Amino acid sequence: MTFDAHPRSSLIVALDFDSLNSAVKFAKQVADLVGMFKIGNQLFTAAGPAAVREVAALGPGIFLDLKFHDIPNTVAGSVLSCAAMTGVQLVNVHALGGHAMLHAAVQAISAGQPMGADRPRLLAVTILTSMDQKTMREVGIGGPPKTRVVQLAKLAKTAGVDGVVASVQEARAIRKACGRDFLIVTPGVRPGQDPAAMKNDDQARTATPTEAIKAGADFLVVGRPILAAPDPRAAAQAIGCAL
Ligand code: C5P
């Protein structure tokens, strides 16, 4: 990790809420236990940049998970706007946008940062952790997830991207292919792997927090296992202990 503001934990909690009030109320309960908060499309669409301002004011950095996938010029503009928001430490785009789009995002990431701030890091989403080989085939992506994910990680690295979002199942292979300094952020983390709970889960390529760290993940993104827990603090602490 080379961020100036060193996160105190590898845990990133996904604030998947439909209102800023609920998100901030929840975030306050666990702010001292997390390395970053993730603001995704749901909260950002509902509340806009105010979400970044209010959540960043709680202390932890922000992973602004808007997963841009558009023509290079539009993605560059969007990344520039993200980078200009104080507190944003991670921004992401889809690797499937290709080299030119990734490269445009790389060039934009440094340009919009506030004076004196460490620049945010740019991540590329490889293949969503909700997809398995069957769903990949539906959209014309052949071969096993690991092969495609590593290929996309290498493409992102070649374009100058700082790291990837991928499942734990591919983390070792990505580390081997892309080296020690390449950031690996893994969603699809499920602490208990309770089969009953997993039945209605949209995540397909999952793993426990311990497996994620052993596989070489730098950060773990966790949403529902903490948001929906009867005691979110205890759930965050239990995951934190596994890291
Ligand atoms: O609730 P859960 O732990 O599945 O939340 C995972 C979070 O990570 C969600 O906010 C989801 O949008 C995000 N994410 C993901 N897979 C990716 C990238 C981001 O699940 N490839």
Side-chain angles (χ1 to χ4, degrees), residues 185-200:
V185 177
T186 58
V189 174
R190 293 292 178 263
Q193 299 284 23
D194 170 6
M198 294 295 296
K199 244 179 66 188
N200 297 320

Side-chain angles (χ1 to χ4, degrees), residues 39 44 52 62-67 82 85 88 90-92:
I39 294 177
F44 198 77
V52 174
I62 304 294
F63 171 12
L64 194 49
D65 174 29
L66 301 180
K67 299 190 187 70
C82 292
M85 290 181 222
V88 171
L90 294 172
V91 174
N92 63 357

Side-chain angles (χ1 to χ4, degrees), residues 79 89-93 102 105-107 109 119-124 160-164 183:
V79 168
Q89 293 189 331
L90 294 172
V91 174
N92 63 357
V93 298
L102 292 167
V106 167
Q107 289 188 311
I109 194 77
R119 81 162 170 84
R121 299 303 190 259
L122 181 70
L123 302 174
V161 172
D162 300 298
V164 283
L183 286 172

Side-chain angles (χ1 to χ4, degrees), residues 14 16 38 65 67 125 127-129 165 187 190 203 221-225:
D16 290 330
K38 184 174 84 63
D65 174 29
K67 299 190 187 70
V125 176
I127 300 283
L128 293 170
T129 42
V165 184
R190 293 292 178 263
Q203 295 285 16
V221 174
V222 187
R224 287 160 290 180

